[in-house]
Amino acid sequence: MAESEGSSFSRRLGQLRIERDMSLRQLARATFYSKSYLHELENGSKRPTAQAAQRLDSALRAGGELSALADTQRALSRRQFVAGAGLAAALPHTYLGHGRQIGVDLPNKLVERTARLRRLDDFLGGADTYQMYAAELDSTDRLIRDGRYAEDTHRRLLAVLAEQAQLAGWAAFDAGRHGDAERLYQASLTAAQEADSPALAGNAQAFLAYQAIALGRSGLNLAIAACETAKEGATPRVLTLLHCRRAWTHALQGQAAEAERQLDTGARWLSAAGDRAEPDWVYWVDDVEVDIMTGRCWSVLHRPMRAISVLEHVLALYSDTHARDKALYLTWLADAYLDANEVEQACSVAGKAMRLAAGVGSIRPAQRIDSFMSRLEPYAALPCVVDLHGQAAEMSR
């Protein structure tokens, strides 16, 4: 890290904290980081992670200034990580050759490259991957604009663009960049429609439904449209994913019967035999994911016994290496235990979620943990609740 870059971030961090009249302790509580870590960021002895810069931006109302200052610092480490993952090859637009002609095999190469990039999301949060995914998308867009190709190659390139826009949109959503997420999902929908890919178009609508929910709107109509858009010719796992996402929107509306019907439909599609290869963007859709979605739906529907039985079983199979996702799923299990008036068990589960969420490049686990903690107010005097608040306070020192 160049000294000027580090000092710029640390100096501005200190200035903003003083301008906002916040102590290190107050900033630690607002960001879920320890006082000692924030002190090291302010004196320049540690580099900010993408997530740390974003959380500090939010807490200090810096409008993205701290994230921008941190981006240059992270560039080298990001390149090293990508190289280690086997993704150090040139960006898509550099494939333009003499006469800017694009060969018929290039879309397949880009699909494979996008699949490798997608696997990073298993272990990294959107704050860590967004810039990388956005750069890949921009490069593919440039390739399409500047290249020469046959009509079928153009259609396949647009499908790649739609995939990449969804990937970048998901990273933006995970990092709390909701304006970017909505823009990217809309771009994906347009590209998917131009590529004549109902499956990708339906998935874009499902993503837009989740985006609407995150902003306090109903995503139900979009989720229903996603299933309708994709139903002609989509593969079984795609239909499984879309019906499970639709079930979630029904559950959030309190529509238990319809949520259950959509979950059952998704499960039936998963067991259906298909004679076509599934797209890579549903590689993670399996029985475990259907069970997790089922448990989440029953949790938000306040059917704790149904939620607990599913989530306890399936989370025992879920690796802690997928820290962001497991932390999120544990929060719905904690909610279900609280609905069942099992406060001690709820606190125990929430404590594990809190430990897993520490340091992940996503705002969502912290938001979910905050939501759970607010439900504990009626039980504030119970020892398990006191201990959980102590754990949260310890993590913010």
Side-chain angles (χ1 to χ4, degrees), residues 20-294:
R20 304 295 186 258
D21 194 25
M22 293 182 75
S23 67
L24 276 175
R25 182 180 295 277
Q26 289 171 323
L27 187 57
R29 287 174 178 166
T31 58
F32 292 94
Y33 290 119
S34 67
K35 278 176 56 183
S36 59
Y37 174 63
L38 295 178
H39 177 69
E40 289 169 330
L41 290 180
E42 280 200 8
N43 66 27
S45 61
K46 278 196 175 178
R47 303 180 187 209
T49 64
Q51 181 194 36
Q54 185 176 10
R55 284 193 191 176
L56 288 164
D57 261 327
S58 177
L60 294 169
R61 307 185 303 283
E65 182 180 357
L66 291 174
S67 291
L69 287 170
D71 272 346
T72 304
Q73 293 178 226
R74 292 195 302 272
L76 178 59
S77 59
R78 186 183 298 118
R79 286 197 298 270
Q80 290 170 334
F81 184 89
V82 173
L87 291 162
L91 286 168
H93 75 268
T94 62
Y95 283 103
L96 286 172
H98 179 70
R100 299 187 179 275
Q101 186 67 38
I102 294 174
V104 295
D105 60 333
L106 183 55
N108 287 339
K109 291 180 181 179
L110 296 184
V111 167
E112 292 172 2
R113 179 177 168 89
T114 302
R116 295 169 74 182
L117 282 167
R118 186 178 288 110
R119 296 308 187 277
L120 300 180
D121 184 67
D122 286 343
F123 307 100
L124 300 176
D128 302 313
T129 58
Y130 172 69
Q131 296 295 340
M132 188 191 318
Y133 291 165
E136 191 80 7
L137 172 66
D138 288 344
S139 183
T140 299
D141 183 54
R142 179 175 167 186
L143 176 78
I144 293 171
R145 284 187 285 107
D146 295 346
R148 297 172 55 242
Y149 32 69
E151 182 178 347
D152 182 64
T153 301
H154 183 212
R155 180 185 58 78
R156 291 160 60 209
L157 287 171
L158 285 170
V160 174
L161 191 75
E163 271 196 59
Q164 292 176 347
Q166 289 177 16
L167 192 57
W170 168 251
F173 174 83
D174 195 41
R177 304 173 66 135
H178 292 299
D180 289 327
E182 190 159 13
R183 171 181 58 82
L184 288 161
Y185 291 153
Q186 290 287 0
S188 172
L189 179 58
T190 298
Q193 290 169 336
E194 292 177 359
D196 193 24
S197 175
L200 276 168
N203 201 43
Q205 289 172 311
F207 274 130
L208 283 165
Y210 270 38
Q211 176 64 31
I213 291 165
L215 297 178
R217 307 193 300 261
S218 171
L220 186 56
N221 288 340
L222 282 164
I224 293 171
C227 293
E228 289 298 310
T229 297
K231 68 180 181 181
E232 295 299 329
T235 53
R237 286 195 186 190
V238 170
L239 292 169
T240 296
L241 174 63
L242 297 182
H243 281 282
C244 286
R245 286 178 169 171
R246 177 175 168 180
W248 176 243
T249 62
H250 284 293
L252 291 172
Q253 295 287 324
Q255 299 169 359
E258 187 59 29
E260 186 169 22
R261 190 172 78 85
Q262 294 301 321
L263 289 168
D264 288 344
T265 300
R268 285 198 303 272
W269 275 116
L270 187 62
S271 63
D275 56 0
R276 289 177 297 149
E278 295 282 353
D280 183 78
W281 48 269
V282 290
Y283 78 92
W284 50 275
V285 177
D286 57 16
D287 290 326
V288 170
E289 292 300 328
V290 171
D291 284 347
I292 284 172
M293 184 61 81
T294 299

Side-chain angles (χ1 to χ4, degrees), residues 292-351:
I292 284 172
M293 184 61 81
T294 299
R296 288 174 60 194
C297 286
W298 289 124
S299 178
V300 300
L301 285 164
H302 303 290
R303 304 284 185 87
M305 302 315 296
R306 298 187 72 167
I308 290 167
S309 63
V310 176
L311 289 173
E312 279 283 11
H313 169 73
V314 74
L315 287 173
L317 308 174
Y318 214 88
S319 172
D320 285 1
T321 58
H322 292 58
R324 175 199 60 199
D325 293 343
K326 189 165 185 176
L328 280 168
Y329 303 149
L330 284 167
T331 63
W332 278 291
L333 178 58
D335 274 338
Y337 272 119
L338 198 57
D339 283 340
N341 205 33
E342 296 288 346
V343 184
E344 289 186 6
Q345 188 63 21
C347 288
S348 175
V349 171

